[in-house]
Amino acid sequence: MDALIGKTLQGGKYTLEQELGRGGFGITFRANHRYLGQPVVIKTINESLRQQPNFAEFDRKFQDEARRLASCVHPNIVRVSDFFVEDGQPYMVMDYIAGQNLGDVVLPNRPLPEELAISYITQIGAALKVVHQKGLLHRDIKPQNILLRQHTQEVVLIDFGIAREFTPGATQTHTNMVSDGYAPPEQYFAQGKYTPATDVYALAATLYTLLTGQVPIAAILRSQPIPTPRDLQPQLSATVSQAVMQGMTVEAQNRPATVDEWLSLLRNSQASVTGPTVAVLPGHGAQMPAEARTTPAVVPSGERNSKIWLILGLVAIAVILGGFVAIARILLDRPSSQPSPVAQDDRTSAPADPEIRDRPSPIPTPQETSKPQLKTPTPVPTPTPKATPSPVVETPTPATTPSAVVESPTPNDRPIEEQRPIEPPAPTPKPEQPVTGGQIPRVPGFAVGTPETQVVDALGEPTDTQAKGYWPNTRTALYDLVPNQITLGYIYDRDSGQLVQTEGSFAQSVDDLVVRTALNGMLGGADANVMQGFQEVQQRRSNRFTFRKGSLEGVIERNDRDRIYIAVWDDNLH
């Protein structure tokens, strides 16, 4: 796309001057409007997508984005001024807004004053109400998609690339593209009943970042309570902190149903705050003066004395009660005469029946792996790995099979296991660290038919590759996502570069919500029957569940290493 710099469009009307941003789908440029002598923003499809066989679909989605954005007219929404197609390439022209996005303003660790953050969110909330009135969900509210106009306190919402229509009460299929930290749990699943509460979560999560200078934990990984804004910034008011957490409620039905309903919580919190006129600081705008925050109120001496005696009385009562509580705690915490039961080891080896042998072979774990660099907005530390003696991604096969012959790997290629490798001597196992919400990034699930470029864009270069797969005209790639706990494997068709099989292996300690999210992505939307089958295996009520969806086949099973193995493949693969 660098070749486009300096390119003129529409007979010299526009000249592309500078690339502003690039993603897997689109690229934006700053351009000059020749006749008006003003800067504009021009967005077009990433040229790499022109090589994809479904380019026509990308073109349609791009035009849908332009149409949706043009229909939403509001001072706090970027305006579309033109749209055209030239040399088969679509272009959308928008107003150029000088200034920074709020992600650059507050990240990392540069929170805004409470009043200013609420002002920005209130403006975006007003814009979102127009979006929802048009029957649309923005689905990508985050600080990076909010621009702060230079030399003002006005903010503008941009990027309607994954916006979608919604019908209240109807079950619909949406793309499960998300921005981790800001997308609610329901957005990770392709099918569901979508409501404005989806954008309410993202708006509240955006306020969380503005107030704390930190990105909240991804919703799909919230197995434990997350810190509230006030936990991170004690000077924040309790009511605002509570309003943020209400907007970020995991269950959509328990969230404020509309933007207005949620904004009313913020308005109520603002109404309870009184004080002097705020000051303006460079870069952050309005802020309460320090003296206004620290000067105590004057209390008459008589009232003060009575309050002191009241406080002392309450302290005495608390001390007495604390003694009783301590005694009770000692009695309750006394060790029982009966030891706690140890969980039974239910690990079994699934039978090596013909159905298992006939389906595509899984990808073995390499002898030496290095964790790939995941392209996630917030790096998360990985847990202490557990030594394991066997491949992570595997299916039960006869133990007498000789070891695999591995060719010299080439970039982006990884073999399918032609034969099961000989297992090394078992090392002394270490205690397994549970992989839960706060420890790993979201595990993406890619469906059969996904181009390799999309996988690499999300995960980076694979841990291991091989150019020749077990099945004719295939090659493979493996990602050791969390060593000894999560491994993802992909089988590509050599000609099209698209996935023909997608698989993953998960230790029992991995949060089931993480695994269900990956499964949903691998199927392009899993139905209730498949999720029930997963639950049966995950809860050890079954060792194997097979399923079919259209032209896809799949299996969920517990292997002989007590891992949950999931594979989905095209039924024409073998």
Side-chain angles (χ1 to χ4, degrees), residues 24 180 372-377 441-446 450-462 479 481 488 490 492:
D180 286 321
Q373 295 298 316
L374 292 178
K375 299 183 178 179
T376 52
R442 179 176 68 93
V443 177
F446 296 103
T450 300
E452 181 182 15
T453 53
Q454 186 173 334
V455 177
V456 174
D457 188 54
L459 298 179
E461 294 302 321
Y479 290 86
L481 198 66
L488 304 178
Y490 304 106
Y492 298 105

Side-chain angles (χ1 to χ4, degrees), residues 68 128 131-132 134-141 160 162-167 172 174 187 193-200:
R68 294 186 190 106
L128 273 180
V131 174
H132 295 164
K134 295 291 183 179
L136 297 172
L137 297 177
H138 186 279
R139 301 177 70 240
D140 203 16
I141 305 296
F160 280 61
I162 63 172
R164 293 292 183 271
E165 287 86 0
F166 75 98
T167 303
Q172 297 174 275
H174 286 174
Q187 198 170 324
K193 295 182 178 180
Y194 302 105
T195 70
T198 292
D199 282 344
V200 168

Side-chain angles (χ1 to χ4, degrees), residues 163-357:
R164 293 292 183 271
E165 287 86 0
F166 75 98
T167 303
T171 299
Q172 297 174 275
T173 300
H174 286 174
T175 59
N176 56 352
M177 296 176 66
V178 298
S179 292
D180 286 321
Y182 304 102
E186 66 268 19
Q187 198 170 324
Y188 286 79
F189 300 97
Q191 287 189 329
K193 295 182 178 180
Y194 302 105
T195 70
T198 292
D199 282 344
V200 168
Y201 184 104
L203 193 62
T206 298
L207 180 55
Y208 185 106
T209 296
L210 300 188
L211 292 171
T212 66
Q214 298 185 27
V215 178
I217 296 171
I220 201 71
L221 302 178
R222 285 177 57 184
S223 58
Q224 301 293 330
I226 66 173
T228 69
R230 202 164 188 234
D231 290 335
L232 301 175
Q233 298 290 334
Q235 78 280 5
L236 295 174
S237 64
T239 48
V240 167
S241 185
Q242 184 178 5
V244 171
M245 299 311 294
Q246 283 183 260
M248 292 179 65
T249 301
V250 171
E251 300 81 11
Q253 66 271 20
N254 295 332
R255 244 177 266 146
T258 65
V259 171
D260 253 341
E261 184 180 331
W262 182 70
L263 288 177
S264 68
L265 301 177
L266 294 179
R267 284 193 288 267
N268 291 340
S269 69
Q270 283 184 296
S272 65
V273 177
T274 59
T277 304
V278 296
V280 176
L281 298 180
H284 276 178
Q287 176 170 300
M288 290 295 293
E291 61 273 16
R293 294 193 298 268
T294 58
T295 304
V298 178
V299 181
S301 59
E303 183 180 347
R304 181 171 62 246
N305 291 338
S306 63
K307 286 186 177 180
I308 290 174
W309 284 112
L310 176 60
I311 292 171
L312 290 175
L314 291 173
V315 170
I317 293 172
V319 170
I320 295 171
L321 289 177
F324 286 117
V325 170
I327 295 171
R329 198 172 276 167
I330 292 172
L331 294 175
L332 291 174
D333 290 346
R334 185 177 58 195
S336 169
S337 59
Q338 302 256 346
S340 301
V342 178
Q344 297 293 327
D345 187 352
D346 294 332
R347 291 179 290 180
T348 59
S349 297
D353 58 30
E355 183 173 356
I356 295 179
R357 292 197 298 270

Side-chain angles (χ1 to χ4, degrees), residues 320-551:
I320 295 171
L321 289 177
F324 286 117
V325 170
I327 295 171
R329 198 172 276 167
I330 292 172
L331 294 175
L332 291 174
D333 290 346
R334 185 177 58 195
S336 169
S337 59
Q338 302 256 346
S340 301
V342 178
Q344 297 293 327
D345 187 352
D346 294 332
R347 291 179 290 180
T348 59
S349 297
D353 58 30
E355 183 173 356
I356 295 179
R357 292 197 298 270
D358 290 343
R359 65 179 171 80
S361 297
I363 299 171
T365 303
Q367 294 294 330
E368 295 180 4
T369 61
S370 58
K371 184 177 178 183
Q373 295 298 316
L374 292 178
K375 299 183 178 179
T376 52
T378 307
V380 185
T382 56
T384 303
K386 168 192 171 184
T388 179
S390 67
V392 175
V393 180
E394 61 178 31
T395 54
T397 52
T400 58
T401 307
S403 61
V405 178
V406 181
E407 297 182 358
S408 298
T410 56
N412 295 328
D413 294 318
R414 166 76 179 99
I416 288 206
E417 180 185 41
E418 298 189 11
Q419 296 166 343
R420 180 170 175 168
I422 297 175
E423 296 183 3
T428 304
K430 297 179 181 179
E432 190 172 77
Q433 296 292 328
V435 179
T436 57
Q439 293 178 297
I440 63 171
R442 179 176 68 93
V443 177
F446 296 103
V448 169
T450 300
E452 181 182 15
T453 53
Q454 186 173 334
V455 177
V456 174
D457 188 54
L459 298 179
E461 294 302 321
T463 305
D464 198 6
T465 62
Q466 188 168 355
K468 182 181 179 182
Y470 179 78
W471 302 106
N473 202 42
T474 62
R475 53 189 173 80
T476 65
L478 180 140
Y479 290 86
D480 195 14
L481 198 66
V482 177
N484 303 312
Q485 299 204 52
I486 298 178
T487 301
L488 304 178
Y490 304 106
I491 303 174
Y492 298 105
D493 179 89
R494 289 185 188 174
D495 294 334
S496 67
Q498 294 183 338
L499 279 176
V500 290
Q501 178 170 327
T502 176
E503 56 186 49
S505 173
F506 305 87
Q508 177 66 24
S509 58
V510 177
D511 192 302
D512 72 312
L513 190 58
V514 175
V515 185
R516 280 190 280 125
T517 302
L519 172 60
N520 185 72
M522 292 164 74
L523 265 175
D527 58 24
N529 180 57
V530 173
M531 287 301 181
Q532 179 63 33
F534 162 75
Q535 191 173 16
E536 292 291 314
V537 175
Q538 197 272 340
Q539 295 181 1
R540 302 181 185 278
R541 293 195 291 265
S542 170
N543 280 332
R544 190 166 184 269
F545 173 78
T546 61
F547 55 88
R548 188 178 188 93
K549 178 185 177 183
S551 63

